[in-house]
Amino acid sequence: SHEMVPVAKQQEEVSGERLERRVPMTRLRARIAERLVQSQQEAAILTTFNEVNMKPVMALRARYKDAFEKQHGVRLGFMSFFVQASVEALKRFPEINASVDGNDIVYHGFYDVGVAVSGPNGLVVPIIRDADIQSISDIEKSIIDYANKARENSLTIEDITGGTFTISNGGVFGSM
């Protein structure tokens, strides 16, 4: 049986169990993973992207940003919407939230989302733990705290390890 098992808590504040399910890879899946790593080392990588209509999010943000900032003491940015949308997608497609460990695929029953922030030495990716149970204001506060820590060069190894999914915003560097 492939039951969920508790993993060590990575933060004191985390409540409840953080479950994962470990499933041995089939021989075919293991060979595909091996070839994928090999192709990343030997071939040019192609990225595809989809455009999303942000008008509804922009309208929502414009309507509530002043009240939100007054109530929570933090600006309402776009990244918290991206984090929550990503978590919803990861719940629907658990394979994307999984990782490979040796010959096993590890399905994580928690959502630790890495968010790229700019630091003095370039982009760093601190982790928002248990993003699925955080409010938009909690996510916004975490991002600001991490951005400040990145600027001060005070991020810890724990801050930047263990993510199950990463969001990057290359737009600030002119990327699409």
Side-chain angles (χ1 to χ4, degrees), residues 20-83:
E20 31 182 60
R21 183 169 49 100
R22 189 172 281 270
V23 179
M25 273 193 273
T26 63
R27 285 180 58 206
L28 176 61
R29 172 60 60 202
R31 184 70 176 136
I32 290 169
E34 184 183 313
R35 293 287 295 132
L36 182 60
V37 170
Q38 184 181 348
S39 73
Q40 286 178 323
Q41 294 169 346
E42 297 174 358
I45 303 299
L46 173 70
T47 299
T48 61
F49 59 91
N50 297 292
E51 293 186 31
V52 175
N53 179 5
M54 288 291 293
K55 283 194 173 86
V57 173
M58 292 167 78
L60 185 76
R61 183 176 174 258
R63 180 173 177 186
Y64 293 107
K65 69 178 185 175
D66 293 337
F68 184 90
E69 189 168 354
K70 187 177 282 186
Q71 182 176 346
H72 299 288
V74 64
R75 287 182 53 217
L76 180 58
F78 289 109
M79 196 55 85
S80 55
F81 289 100
F82 298 155
V83 169

Side-chain angles (χ1 to χ4, degrees), residues 82-111:
F82 298 155
V83 169
Q84 288 199 328
S86 295
V87 166
E88 191 57 39
L90 294 171
K91 286 179 179 179
R92 294 180 191 187
F93 301 96
E95 299 80 13
I96 298 173
N97 197 46
S99 59
V100 173
D101 180 22
N103 248 11
D104 293 341
I105 299 174
V106 181
Y107 292 90
H108 305 289
F110 50 90
Y111 305 88

Side-chain angles (χ1 to χ4, degrees), residues 123-143:
L123 282 180
V124 289
V125 186
I127 312 300
I128 298 172
R129 309 270 176 213
D130 295 306
D132 58 317
I133 57 173
Q134 291 203 35
S135 67
I136 284 184
S137 62
D138 290 337
I139 292 169
E140 289 292 347
K141 288 173 186 172
S142 292
I143 292 169

